[in-house]
Amino acid sequence: MKSILVVGGAGYIGSHTVRELMNSGYHVIIADNLVYGHREAVLSDDFYHVDIEDKAALSKIFQKHDISSVIHFAAYAYVGESVSNPAKYYKNNVANTINLLDVMLANNVKNIVFSSTCATYGEPLYTPIDEKHPQAPVNPYGQSKLMVEKIFQDYKKAYGLNFICLRYFNAAGCSKDGLLGESHNPETHLIPLVLKAVKGEISNITVFGTDYETKDGTCIRDYIHVEDLARAHKLALEKLLNGSESVCLNLGTGIGTSVKEIIEAAKRVTEKEVPVVYGQRRAGDPAILYASSRLAQQYLNWKPEYANIDDIIRTAWNWELNKRF
Ligand code: UDP
């Protein structure tokens, strides 16, 4: 049986995807530099502690194993840091992806599922955002992901690369059984910060802006459960293995939830108060982002199982209370 190489398989979405693949009977190899990934989240015995900057180390993996496809999560994803240190983002997210592609093609591996982002769209011109929406990123992180998407298109024409780019909206929640979860350092995401405020781990959650033109003045996002994302990666992989066309797909629920609604949901789920401070807008935050995932639903025959924000937050709360890493 051929193997699937998951690059960045020790990270948040990567580890959930590895689990989904292994539960479906795939042989999975993980490569991760463990800069942001966690050793405890590595689920396969075939683990390589490598950076994709290191072509020689990557080549050894491809020579040792019979790899059919790659799922590529390895990227830096802090928007603010990408503005202050773009070199880090272009080197790791773009140049190192070219390294990975070099090694893949040298070993005749032509299938790649790529973790892209709604940040490639930039400031939305309309919502829900579909895949035809113009892509005009407003920060180096989004630029770096869009550059890779464009590289794939050229590599398809020139070298026969097959790709599926999955543009996630806001990944959220943790595995149902509490074995895997979200553990970023530093943590910047809304849901884990709200739950840390409930626990008293931080003094409060600051709401970034209450004067947006939305129903309650706070930003609206599309929160998609990490296990729904994981399943979409497996289905995308299977599409590539069956010879389907290369494509870019949005992954979201299509439901917009405001920051205040997240806080209300957290109160219901935890049955505790959330200490809230109302602050200024955060630079670069669009008022409203939510997806049309119609294309993904059709193409992958995929539908998010989690459509209720309370259910998503419940899994994240379970993780916060019983964190393994
Ligand atoms: N947000 C907030 N306070 C925080 C972190 C985030 O009000 O401490 C808001 C942020 O402005 C955005 C939403 O929560 O509207 C989701 O932010 P997050 O950083 O989780 O994801 P992003 O949408 O930036 O990818």
Side-chain angles (χ1 to χ4, degrees):
M1 186 195 187
K2 290 201 171 214
S3 306
I4 313 299
L5 174 64
V6 179
V7 183
Y12 172 42
I13 307 170
S15 60
H16 285 83
T17 300
V18 166
R19 187 144 185 246
E20 176 74 30
L21 293 170
M22 290 176 71
N23 286 344
S24 302
Y26 289 95
H27 176 242
V28 177
I29 300 155
I30 297 174
D32 200 297
N33 63 7
L34 297 182
V35 169
Y36 291 116
H38 300 271
R39 187 65 184 84
E40 298 89 332
V42 170
L43 299 179
S44 170
D45 291 338
D46 283 305
F47 169 60
Y48 295 88
H49 186 182
V50 297
D51 196 299
I52 54 170
E53 190 181 19
D54 185 348
K55 274 172 88 166
L58 280 179
S59 295
K60 278 192 196 145
I61 301 173
F62 280 80
Q63 276 148 27
K64 180 156 181 220
H65 299 276
D66 192 8
I67 295 170
S68 71
S69 316
V70 172
I71 305 185
H72 177 27
F73 293 98
Y76 295 135
Y78 289 106
V79 169
E81 183 187 55
S82 82
V83 175
S84 58
N85 189 3
K88 177 172 174 179
Y89 282 71
Y90 292 123
K91 276 187 193 137
N92 185 65
N93 297 5
V94 183
N96 290 349
T97 296
I98 295 173
N99 273 348
L100 173 65
L101 290 169
D102 283 349
V103 177
M104 283 175 61
L105 294 173
N107 289 278
N108 208 26
V109 176
K110 297 198 169 174
N111 294 333
I112 186 161
V113 178
F114 177 61
S115 82
S116 188
T117 166
C118 65
T120 60
Y121 294 115
E123 191 68 41
L125 304 176
Y126 59 85
T127 50
I129 297 175
D130 58 20
E131 290 80 358
K132 293 199 183 81
H133 188 287
Q135 288 178 289
V138 292
N139 52 62
Y141 166 65
Q143 288 284 14
S144 72
K145 291 287 184 174
L146 180 57
M147 284 176 185
V148 172
E149 287 196 6
K150 289 189 186 298
I151 288 168
F152 286 167
Q153 284 163 14
D154 291 337
Y155 276 39
K156 176 169 184 57
K157 287 187 210 127
Y159 312 126
L161 186 78
N162 306 307
F163 63 84
I164 296 186
C165 296
L166 298 175
R167 297 178 186 152
Y168 325 143
F169 282 64
N170 288 57
C174 299
S175 74
K176 256 184 235 81
D177 58 9
L179 282 177
L180 292 172
E182 182 168 19
S183 192
H184 298 118
N185 186 15
E187 186 53 79
T188 60
H189 293 107
L190 179 64
I191 293 176
L193 286 177
V194 167
L195 298 176
K196 285 180 196 307
V198 170
K199 272 172 80 186
E201 219 172 281
I202 56 173
S203 56
N204 55 59
I205 178 76
T206 303
V207 174
F208 293 148
T210 51
D211 58 349
Y212 285 98
E213 280 185 30
T214 58
K215 52 192 168 188
D216 60 19
T218 65
C219 286
I220 291 177
R221 294 288 180 274
D222 182 338
Y223 297 89
I224 172 90
H225 194 267
V226 65
E227 289 184 320
D228 283 325
L229 290 179
R231 207 159 31 83
H233 284 79
K234 186 192 72 181
L235 293 168
L237 169 78
E238 288 172 349
K239 277 285 182 187
L240 289 180
L241 292 173
N242 290 329
S244 293
E245 272 302 292
S246 295
V247 68
C248 295
L249 302 170
N250 286 344
L251 296 179
T253 59
I255 301 166
T257 307
S258 74
V259 175
K260 280 188 180 163
E261 286 172 335
I262 293 288
I263 291 168
E264 288 309 311
K267 282 186 196 164
R268 285 192 297 273
V269 168
T270 63
E271 298 178 347
K272 292 189 159 72
E273 279 308 304
V274 180
V276 178
V277 167
Y278 295 99
Q280 297 299 308
R281 292 184 178 198
R282 181 172 68 178
D285 266 344
I288 305 181
L289 285 176
Y290 64 97
S292 163
S293 290
R294 209 160 51 91
L295 198 60
Q297 299 204 12
Q298 287 168 354
Y299 197 81
L300 301 177
N301 194 19
W302 166 87
K303 199 170 178 294
E305 274 175 18
Y306 286 83
N308 180 305
I309 196 66
D310 289 27
D311 293 339
I312 294 177
I313 292 178
R314 197 165 290 114
T315 65
W317 181 232
N318 182 35
W319 172 254
E320 271 309 322
L321 294 176
N322 306 288
K323 260 190 161 164
R324 292 180 52 245
F325 49 86

